């Protein structure tokens, strides 16, 4: 859902004006209360101005549980160029600049540190290419005190080197004191109905490309698989994109 209203942007990115079709599909998903992820591709100098309306749409609709803001990946598209891609941190800075009351780049940075720690403790693989954050459905309530969190993470790191179990107890004790009832959002594997009703899960990032693809890391952490090679030889989404890039780089495709 790259735009809610701009037909020109829809035609450039998707090859046609499919906005009304997508909105009707979303209305049906809402009626049936089917948990839904919104994916919004951000292209430099094209649709940065669409971020606010699309993200606010996701915030208002509680059946939408996750909103992904992805950098454009240049695969030879005629209308665009590689210069219109974002690096991950560059994308986060751009998004944060459009939502100064909701979050800052620094808050995303420290939340991601916490996200990695919790993923390790709970043995849950998460993609290392994205930056995550929980934002409120309404208003500007924050689930974490970002003045205290950096100090807690630093002390956790020190304790972890000596005693991993004690470090885990320290972290969860302090998170419970800081977050109160909102601690459930992180406790229940990051995703649950409580999160969907009160907060929206936002992910910002990009896929690997030929220059930064790490096969080992991707195989260990990727939760998505492409099935174009058969059920016995799946590949990650990033590897699929790289293969598409290799094909398209032989000649531009429209």
């Amino acid at each position: 859902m790259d735009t809610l209203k701009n037909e020109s942007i829809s035609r450039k990115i998707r090859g046609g004006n499919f906005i009304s079709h997508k909105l009707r599909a979303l209305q049906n998903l809402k009626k049936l209360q089917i948990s839904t992820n919104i994916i919004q591709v951000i292209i430099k100098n094209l649709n940065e101005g669409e971020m606010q309306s699309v993200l606010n749409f996701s915030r208002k609709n509680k059946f939408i549980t996750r909103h992904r803001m992805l950098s454009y990946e240049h695969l030879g598209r005629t209308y665009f160029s590689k210069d219109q891609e974002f690096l991950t941190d560059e994308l986060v800075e751009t998004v944060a600049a459009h939502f100064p009351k909701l979050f800052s780049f620094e808050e995303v940075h420290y939340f991601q540190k916490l996200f990695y720690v919790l993923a390790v403790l709970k043995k849950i693989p998460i993609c290392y290419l994205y930056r995550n954050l929980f934002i409120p459905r309404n208003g500007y309530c924050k689930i974490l005190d970002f003045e205290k969190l950096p100090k807690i993470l630093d002390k956790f790191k020190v304790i972890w080197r000596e005693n991993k179990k004690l470090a885990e107890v320290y972290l969860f004790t302090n998170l419970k004191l800081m977050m109160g009832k909102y601690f459930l959002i992180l406790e229940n594997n990051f995703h649950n109905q409580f999160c969907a009703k009160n907060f929206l899960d936002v992910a910002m990032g990009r896929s690997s490309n030929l220059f930064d693809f790490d096969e080992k890391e991707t195989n260990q952490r990727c939760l998505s698989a492409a099935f174009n090679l058969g059920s016995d030889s799946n590949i990650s989404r990033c590897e699929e994109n790289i293969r598409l890039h290799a094909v398209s780089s032989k000649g531009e495709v429209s």
Side-chain angles (χ1 to χ4, degrees), residues 10 13 38 40 42 49 62 64 81 98 192-193 201 211 220 232 239:
S10 180
I13 297 179
I38 289 288
Q40 183 181 18
I42 310 298
K62 295 182 180 181
I64 299 173
S81 71
H98 281 77
N192 54 43
Q193 289 302 311
D201 179 2
F211 305 103
Q220 288 178 342
D232 59 339
E239 187 171 346

Side-chain angles (χ1 to χ4, degrees), residues 39-198:
I39 298 177
Q40 183 181 18
V41 175
I42 310 298
I43 303 177
K44 274 186 184 179
N45 303 318
L46 181 68
N47 68 329
E48 295 104 319
E50 305 296 311
M51 288 190 292
Q52 284 186 315
S53 59
V54 181
L55 182 58
N56 286 333
F57 177 85
S58 293
R59 291 177 70 194
K60 292 175 183 177
N61 288 281
K62 295 182 180 181
F63 75 99
I64 299 173
T65 55
R66 195 179 202 207
H67 186 103
R68 296 187 181 188
M69 307 179 86
L70 309 184
S71 168
Y72 164 72
E73 295 285 332
H74 186 61
L75 300 177
R77 192 87 176 184
T78 301
Y79 301 117
F80 310 119
S81 71
K82 190 166 181 59
D83 292 337
Q84 291 179 278
E85 294 182 343
F86 286 93
L87 297 174
T88 295
D89 284 345
E90 184 183 17
L91 178 63
V92 175
E93 286 181 325
T94 301
V95 177
H98 281 77
F99 298 93
K101 292 184 179 181
L102 269 180
F103 61 88
S104 66
F105 176 85
E106 290 75 17
E107 289 173 352
V108 177
H109 171 74
Y110 284 110
F111 186 89
Q112 191 64 30
K113 280 191 173 186
L114 176 61
F115 212 62
Y116 283 142
V117 169
L118 294 173
V120 170
L121 294 177
K122 290 180 170 292
K123 298 180 174 61
I124 298 173
I126 60 171
C127 180
Y128 65 97
L129 295 167
Y130 290 89
R131 304 293 178 263
N132 300 272
L133 192 68
F134 294 130
I135 63 173
R137 295 284 184 182
N138 299 297
Y140 304 104
C141 172
K142 296 181 180 180
I143 64 174
L144 291 164
D145 184 335
F146 286 99
E147 291 186 4
K148 295 180 180 178
L149 183 60
K151 296 178 182 178
I152 291 173
L153 290 174
D154 286 343
K155 188 169 182 179
F156 167 84
K157 185 177 180 180
V158 173
I159 300 173
W160 179 267
R161 290 170 178 164
E162 301 294 330
N163 188 317
K164 291 180 171 57
K165 188 61 181 178
L166 189 61
E168 182 177 351
V169 172
Y170 166 80
L171 178 66
F172 282 99
T173 299
N174 279 274
L175 287 177
K176 288 177 182 177
L177 289 172
M178 180 193 300
M179 300 175 69
K181 64 179 182 180
Y182 297 133
F183 179 72
L184 290 173
I185 298 173
L186 298 177
E187 177 71 347
N188 295 330
N189 297 333
F190 312 130
H191 302 282
N192 54 43
Q193 289 302 311
F194 183 81
C195 179
K197 290 178 181 178
N198 297 276

Side-chain angles (χ1 to χ4, degrees), residues 224-230 233-237 240:
S224 301
F227 300 100
N228 57 344
L229 299 182
S233 54
N234 302 330
I235 60 175
S236 69
R237 294 291 185 190
E240 181 188 36

Side-chain angles (χ1 to χ4, degrees), residues 12 26 29 107 130 155-156 180 204 216 221 241:
K12 284 183 178 180
L26 287 168
L29 290 165
E107 289 173 352
Y130 290 89
K155 188 169 182 179
F156 167 84
M204 297 164 276
K216 181 180 178 181
R221 301 192 189 206
N241 284 337

